[in-house]
Each structure stands twice: as C-alpha cells, then as structure tokens.
Amino acid sequence: MIDISEIVAEVNTLKQQLDHAQLSYRDSNLKSRREIVILKRLITRLTIACRGIDNELDNTLQSITHDLEQPLEISRLIPRLAIVERLVTQQADVIQHQNNHLQQQINQRSHTLIQHQNLPMSLQQDLDHLVSQQPTTLLDNHQRIVRLLELYERSIKSLTATDNKNTLSNDNQPNFSVELVAELQQIITEIDFINDQGQQLFSIRNQLAQGVDQQTLLALLVQVLRLIVSGTHNERYASQRFLNTLNSDLASLQKNTAKTASSFSVLHQHRHDFNTGISTIVSNIDQQLTTPEGITASWENITYELQQLAQRNSQLEQREQALIEQLNHTDNKVQQLQQQTYSYRQRLSQQEQNIFRDKLTLTYNRSAFNDRIEHEYQRWLRYQNPLLLVLIDIDNFTQLNNDYGHHAGDKALKIIAQTISHQLNPTDFIARFNEDAFTLLLTDIDQQQCQQLMNNIQTAITQLPLHFKGQSISISVSICTSFFNHNDTPKNVIQRIETALRHSQIQRCNTVIHQ
C-alpha cells in the first residue's frame, strides 16, 4: 500500500529543487544580462577610442556592436573578439613604433634649432628643456610637437627681427647636396638606356663622382630629369614600334596561313579528282581490252586522256612547289619574329636585373629586398614556416676607406659579398642593405642551423686574405639574426636587429647576436 506521507515529502523536495533551480536560472539570467551590458559598454568605448586607427578594426567593432543589439549567444562572438584582440595588439605595436619614431624626430628637430647660433638664450633654454623631457605616451609627444611648433614660430620671428639671411635650412645644405649627389648616382646606376641618353647619363655620373658645386649640381639635376624623360619616351616609342611590327607581321602570317590552308584544300580536291580520273581510265581500259576491236578503237582516246592527266599532274606539282615555298617563307618569318621577341625579352630581363641588382657587389639591392621581404612575410603569415632575417655589418668600414681609399672598400665589399653567397643555399636571398651592410632572408631553417651558418660566415670573412697597399688586412663582421614571431612585421623586425646590432658594435665588434 502506497504511503501518502512519503509521496507528499518527495513532492515537497521536488518543489524545493524547482524553486532553487528557478532562482539559479534567474540569477544566471541577470548575471548574463549584466555581462552583456558591460560588454556592450566596453565595445562601445573601444569603438570610440580606436576610431580612425585601422579600417579593419573599425568595421569589426561596428559589426560586433550591431550584433550585440540582436538576441544571440555570446559564444558566437568569440571568434570576432579574438580578431579584435589581434588587431588591437598589432595597433599597439604600430603606435609604439610610431611614438618612438615621433620622439626621435622631435629630438632631432629640437637639436637642429638648438645648434642655430643666432637664437636668443631664453629660446635655447626652452629647447633644452623640451629635449630633456622623457615622454611615455603618444599624447605626451603630441604635446611636445605643439610646444616645438611654438618654439619654431618664435625662432622664425626672432630671425626675421634681426634680419638674418641665414635660414635654418642652410645648416643642412651641405649634407643635402651630398645626399642629392648620392641619390642621383644611384638613380643613374639603376637606369639602363642603351641610346644616347644612356651615354650622357653615364658621363653625368662620372662628373658627379668627381665633385660639383651647388649651381652645377642643380643644372645636372635638371639635365638628368630631361634625359630620363627623353629616354623613357624613346623606350616607349621603340616598344610601340616593336609591337606594331609584331602585330603587322602576325596579321600577315595569319593571312598567309589562311591562304595556304585554302590552297591546300583546293589542291586536295584536285588530287582527289586526279585519282578519280585515273580510276575511270583504268576501268575503261579494262572494259575495252576484252576484244581486239576495242583495243584498236580506244587506243587514241586512252593516249589523249593519259596526256591530259600528265598535264594536270604537272600543274599539281607546280602548286605544291608554290605552297612549299610559301610555307618556307612563313617559317622564316616566324623564326625572325621568335628571334626578335627573344631579344626583346632578354633586354627586358637585363633591364629588370639592372634595376634590382647592386652594381658593385652584384647582389640584390634595397628595392629588391623590400619586395622580397614583403613576399616572404605574406607567406609566413599564411603558412607559419620559419622566416629568418639577418643583418651583416662590416666592422670599421669607414676606417678602411679612410686608410686605404674607396677602391679598397669597393674591393672588400665585392669579396665579402661573394664569401657570404658561397655559404648560402641557392634558395637563400642576399641583398646589399646599405653602404657597409648586407641582409639575408632565409626560410625553412631552425635555430641550430642558423647559429652554425652565422659562425661559418663570420669565420670565412675573418680568414679572407685581403691586401691593400702592400699590407695584409683582417676584416670582421658583426651579425644580428631574428626570426619572425607572433605579431611581427618587416618594419619592426628590421628596426629590432638594427638597434641590437648598433648597441652591440658600440661595446665590441666581431659578434653574433640572436634576437
């Protein structure tokens, strides 16, 4: 018999559990709503704070803000929140890099103003105070920029009031002229005009190497620009002429090919008719040779028909010979076009090599390096294969040029470039990074292989038998390596190894640093 009291007790227990579950659900629901409100508020403030920094970040935050207004599960937003986290981290690194660059530029411009001799003492003291500040945020640097502009305005007014004809730019004019000469020489080196413009540009480069005054430099600059424009027009005209000739020859070949195909079709039909005629004559001969009378009566007809067939066969042979000559002419034309196209392609390839090759060391130049590192960086982002950047700087290279001359420095650069290249695999990339440094891009290499390779390069360069002015010279290099990791970009990796290598060379040379 069922005990009613037990049933009542069990029902009460279930009721209590239900009430507890309802309370828990209510608390969880309220907590979830509060979290959604907090998340909405955070996303809204983050959207406002990050607005205008990055388009992808703006679009992602706006999309999340819109979705938060809809009834959906928060778990569905987790992938996009992860994207926001990655973008925010990247932007933080970018802002930090920009802040450092901005701080460096402010200090440099402040020092430029300080070095001017005609500024009032109070203004120089304000500039010294501006340089001595140690900003920690981007906002601090923005305030320093405003202050620097105020000081710059005061400097202009002060210089104008004293009627000083020496402007701030005059202090940097010699350096500017030197940099302009170097840039012009580099541009002329990368241009590959094989016409009169090329010879004139080569003469200008030799003239720049011997040294020119400012007025001559400006005149040569204008002349270089005119020669580049003129040479470009000539190159474009030559290309258009080549393409027009190629188009005309191809149209002629197409016409001749169509005519030859039509002639072959007609010739084929005539051959068919000729064979049909022979078959008819053979059939008539078989019929007429059955009796002696038929042989005598048809002999003249058979002879006449055979003569006609011989004439038709001769005409067919003449047509075949004409078609063969036409085909030979077409084949020669095609070979000429092939040769012209190959020569043109070889010239374009040579021009491309001249653009992306360093003339002295025959390694790739900085432009080629910029293109290659961007390509390898995109591959690294996609596949996450190891990507190593190496900077190799020649120790005391300026002293070598001063002691033994620039010819000795050029010879050393060539030999060192060859030595490094011999240590690399065919798929590795080497470029001249600046005057006395080379950079390497290596893929599919681990840390141990990297250390061994750098030691081999350093040892091989140290053991080079270099002789200048009857003296044996020992050259060493300092090396810095860094793998791409996490949120790295080509700019911050380059900056990282440059900074590390510069600090290392201050302490001692002939070192290898692994970042």
Side-chain angles (χ1 to χ4, degrees), residues 232-289:
T232 303
H233 283 313
N234 290 339
E235 290 285 332
R236 183 170 62 183
Y237 175 73
S239 300
Q240 291 176 346
R241 185 173 57 187
F242 170 75
L243 291 176
N244 290 336
T245 303
L246 181 63
N247 186 46
S248 176
D249 290 340
L250 288 176
S252 177
L253 285 175
Q254 183 181 11
K255 183 178 179 181
N256 291 336
T257 302
K259 183 178 179 180
T260 302
S262 176
S263 299
F264 264 116
S265 178
V266 173
L267 180 62
H268 176 73
Q269 184 62 39
H270 288 173
R271 279 291 185 189
H272 177 73
D273 295 342
F274 180 78
N275 293 332
T276 303
I278 292 178
S279 299
T280 302
I281 292 175
V282 172
S283 177
N284 293 335
I285 291 175
D286 289 339
Q287 293 177 1
Q288 295 174 3
L289 289 179

Side-chain angles (χ1 to χ4, degrees), residues 159-171:
L159 295 174
T160 304
T162 57
D163 195 23
N164 190 347
K165 297 182 180 181
N166 295 325
T167 61
L168 295 174
S169 60
N170 287 335
D171 295 333

Side-chain angles (χ1 to χ4, degrees), residues 171-189:
D171 295 333
N172 294 327
Q173 194 64 42
N175 292 333
F176 173 75
S177 299
V178 173
E179 293 177 359
L180 182 57
V181 169
E183 288 293 333
L184 276 178
Q185 288 177 320
Q186 181 64 25
I187 291 174
I188 294 174
T189 300

Side-chain angles (χ1 to χ4, degrees), residues 32-283:
S32 176
R33 290 181 181 178
R34 286 198 300 269
E35 290 176 347
I36 292 176
V37 171
I38 294 174
L39 183 59
K40 288 182 180 179
R41 189 181 306 163
L42 176 62
I43 294 297
T44 302
R45 293 180 179 177
L46 187 61
T47 302
I48 296 173
C50 298
R51 184 176 299 162
I53 296 179
D54 182 78
N55 291 332
E56 183 180 0
L57 181 59
D58 288 346
N59 295 334
T60 305
L61 289 174
Q62 290 177 3
S63 175
I64 294 176
T65 303
H66 178 267
D67 290 343
L68 284 175
E69 301 296 335
Q70 311 299 325
L72 80 166
E73 296 180 1
I74 299 299
S75 59
R76 295 175 56 184
L77 297 178
I78 292 179
R80 278 185 288 174
L81 290 176
I83 295 176
V84 170
E85 180 183 5
R86 176 177 60 82
L87 293 175
V88 170
T89 303
Q90 290 180 352
Q91 289 307 314
D93 294 337
V94 172
I95 291 174
Q96 181 63 33
H97 175 70
Q98 292 176 349
N99 189 33
N100 295 336
H101 178 70
L102 189 60
Q103 181 176 345
Q104 182 181 6
Q105 293 297 318
I106 293 173
N107 292 335
Q108 290 179 356
R109 301 305 177 265
S110 301
H111 282 298
T112 302
L113 280 175
I114 292 174
Q115 292 173 1
H116 203 281
Q117 299 178 354
N118 297 316
L119 292 180
M121 183 62 65
S122 60
L123 187 56
Q124 291 185 355
Q125 291 176 353
D126 291 339
L127 287 169
D128 288 332
H129 177 69
L130 180 65
V131 174
S132 64
Q133 294 178 359
Q134 297 296 329
T136 57
T137 64
L138 189 61
L139 180 60
D140 294 338
N141 274 327
H142 287 170
Q143 295 174 352
R144 294 180 71 206
I145 290 176
V146 175
R147 179 60 176 161
L148 180 61
L149 290 175
E150 294 175 354
L151 297 176
Y152 180 81
E153 184 179 5
R154 287 173 54 188
S155 302
I156 294 298
K157 291 179 179 179
S158 175
L159 295 174
T160 304
T162 57
D163 195 23
N164 190 347
K165 297 182 180 181
N166 295 325
T167 61
L168 295 174
S169 60
N170 287 335
D171 295 333
N172 294 327
Q173 194 64 42
N175 292 333
F176 173 75
S177 299
V178 173
E179 293 177 359
L180 182 57
V181 169
E183 288 293 333
L184 276 178
Q185 288 177 320
Q186 181 64 25
I187 291 174
I188 294 174
T189 300
E190 294 180 356
I191 295 176
D192 184 33
F193 290 152
I194 60 175
N195 43 27
D196 294 338
Q197 288 83 4
Q199 294 296 330
Q200 295 180 40
L201 287 172
F202 183 77
S203 300
I204 292 175
R205 186 179 63 181
N206 292 337
Q207 188 175 352
L208 290 172
Q210 296 173 2
V212 294
D213 56 26
Q214 183 177 353
Q215 185 175 1
T216 306
L217 175 60
L218 293 177
L220 291 177
L221 174 60
V222 175
Q223 187 177 356
V224 167
L225 292 176
R226 288 176 178 172
L227 288 173
I228 291 176
V229 172
S230 176
T232 303
H233 283 313
N234 290 339
E235 290 285 332
R236 183 170 62 183
Y237 175 73
S239 300
Q240 291 176 346
R241 185 173 57 187
F242 170 75
L243 291 176
N244 290 336
T245 303
L246 181 63
N247 186 46
S248 176
D249 290 340
L250 288 176
S252 177
L253 285 175
Q254 183 181 11
K255 183 178 179 181
N256 291 336
T257 302
K259 183 178 179 180
T260 302
S262 176
S263 299
F264 264 116
S265 178
V266 173
L267 180 62
H268 176 73
Q269 184 62 39
H270 288 173
R271 279 291 185 189
H272 177 73
D273 295 342
F274 180 78
N275 293 332
T276 303
I278 292 178
S279 299
T280 302
I281 292 175
V282 172
S283 177

